[in-house]
Amino acid sequence: MRLNPARLLPAEHSCYYLHGEDQDALVEAAELLLADGDPEATRLRVDVTELARIETASRNRGLFGPTYCYALVRNAQSANPKQTEHLLKMSRSVAPGNRLIICAPGIEWRKALHKKMKAETVLPQCEFALPDVAGFTRWLGEEVSRAGLQLAPETVQWMGERLCGMRQAARQLIARLGCYDGGEGTLLGMDVVGELLGERAPGALEEWCHAVAMREPHALSLARRLLAEQQVAEVQMLSWLGTRMQQLLMYRWYQSQHDRNPLQAAKVFGDARNRVGGEVRCWRGAELSAAVRRISDAEKLIKGASLEDKSVVMERLTLDLVGAERLGV
């Protein structure tokens, strides 16, 4: 018996088999099934090695009338053959009023437990497949609205792309955004969200990456300012610049394949989303490949392959990338 994840509640069955790749959604649904129903029921969360606890609790009828037992098996995907048979036996003999929730996140279809559970045609089963970006973004938008926050649509879309499937992380981010909102309904933009996700560079670092990507001569003075005045680590500069060049390379490739959304396919995030389209026109494909290799070589020098002053390495790298003829392609 297949069930829709959106219609599991209110609980109508005595046993459930939950499986699939979307582990956050699966765990969340299992907890809601465990919480639903008789408030006086005994509630257990057990591993597959502790099945005897469920049987002991379900046999305890209480001194003042029956008490029910709701049990959640958290890791059925780890069951050995003996535990598999034990779980099957339990799923077929849940006493009226009790509830058994068998969770097998990430279980492979070849596992004996999964095959046998799927063969139980009368057993309520629910699969939590990995969500697509559109579906997760809709869920995220609902959570943002429920929290009373105001986010620009493009910000919610970006969050959905970066956090797809990670419900707990998304909820933690929303809770932190509430601290910035202050209960005033302020419109929060990409800058705040990007800072909290750790995917937004300091302003001057982003400007340097953009200047290099646009092959503008003043990129050299920006590099010197980052190194001398702001004391930005060379490794951080290389990380951000390397990511930008790889994004440009992948964006160019997906463009050539006539992808409907090359920005999304190339995983371009943050401020770069508004800039990559203009930056990519400054490069040929062979130059982008050479630039990525040149950054990798500079990283080796920075990390100890040379005794040369690190600031000199960074300045020469900037010059090589800005000057069209210096890459040798």
Side-chain angles (χ1 to χ4, degrees), residues 131-133 157-166 190 199-200 239-240 242-255 259-274 276-277:
D132 58 12
V133 172
Q157 176 65 32
W158 181 71
M159 288 169 61
E161 292 172 7
R162 303 305 298 162
L163 297 172
C164 187
M166 296 186 286
M190 194 82 76
E199 295 190 346
R200 181 178 172 85
S239 173
W240 276 90
T243 298
R244 185 63 139 259
M245 290 296 114
Q246 289 171 348
Q247 288 172 336
L248 289 173
L249 182 61
M250 296 306 297
Y251 179 84
R252 168 65 63 82
W253 189 84
Y254 283 112
Q255 256 191 339
D259 192 280
R260 294 197 310 176
N261 191 342
L263 275 176
Q264 180 177 321
K267 301 188 185 302
V268 180
F269 56 84
D271 297 322
R273 295 181 66 89
N274 300 319
V276 161

Side-chain angles (χ1 to χ4, degrees), residues 32-205:
L32 289 173
L33 284 172
L34 186 66
D36 190 49
D38 186 352
E40 301 298 324
T42 299
R43 287 173 167 82
L44 300 177
R45 297 174 182 83
V46 304
D47 292 337
V48 74
T49 57
E50 304 171 296
L51 299 180
R53 287 181 57 197
I54 300 175
E55 294 179 319
T56 300
S58 61
R59 285 195 298 263
N60 180 14
R61 310 311 294 172
L63 296 175
F64 304 100
T67 58
Y68 299 116
C69 176
Y70 298 167
L72 188 160
V73 181
R74 294 176 290 205
N75 60 338
Q77 73 276 13
S78 302
N80 60 34
K82 185 175 180 180
Q83 292 162 345
T84 295
E85 294 304 321
H86 197 167
L87 273 173
L88 282 168
K89 182 180 177 182
M90 292 175 66
S91 71
R92 295 167 183 155
S93 58
V94 180
N98 290 344
R99 186 177 303 153
L100 177 63
I101 307 159
I102 303 171
C103 298
I107 192 169
E108 297 180 4
W109 67 269
R110 294 186 297 271
K111 293 279 286 189
L113 172 75
H114 189 57
K115 289 181 179 180
K116 292 181 178 181
M117 286 291 181
K118 296 293 282 184
E120 298 285 319
T121 55
V122 297
L123 174 65
Q125 305 176 21
C126 187
E127 180 177 3
F128 292 81
L130 282 176
D132 58 12
V133 172
F136 186 80
T137 301
R138 285 193 297 272
W139 173 85
L140 184 61
E142 293 169 0
E143 291 294 311
V144 168
S145 299
R146 192 174 293 116
L149 298 175
Q150 295 291 326
L151 298 180
E154 61 272 16
T155 303
V156 176
Q157 176 65 32
W158 181 71
M159 288 169 61
E161 292 172 7
R162 303 305 298 162
L163 297 172
C164 187
M166 296 186 286
R167 292 192 177 207
Q168 296 304 319
R171 285 203 174 98
Q172 290 174 9
L173 176 62
I174 290 170
R176 294 176 68 188
L177 285 170
C179 299
Y180 285 77
D181 171 70
E184 299 178 357
T186 306
L187 183 67
L188 301 175
M190 194 82 76
D191 53 346
V192 175
V193 177
E195 292 284 0
L196 288 177
L197 280 177
E199 295 190 346
R200 181 178 172 85
L205 181 51

Side-chain angles (χ1 to χ4, degrees), residues 277-295:
E279 294 169 352
V280 77
R281 290 193 286 269
C282 300
W283 300 82
R284 292 181 288 113
E287 289 178 324
L288 286 170
S289 297
V292 171
R293 290 194 299 271
R294 180 71 183 81
I295 293 170

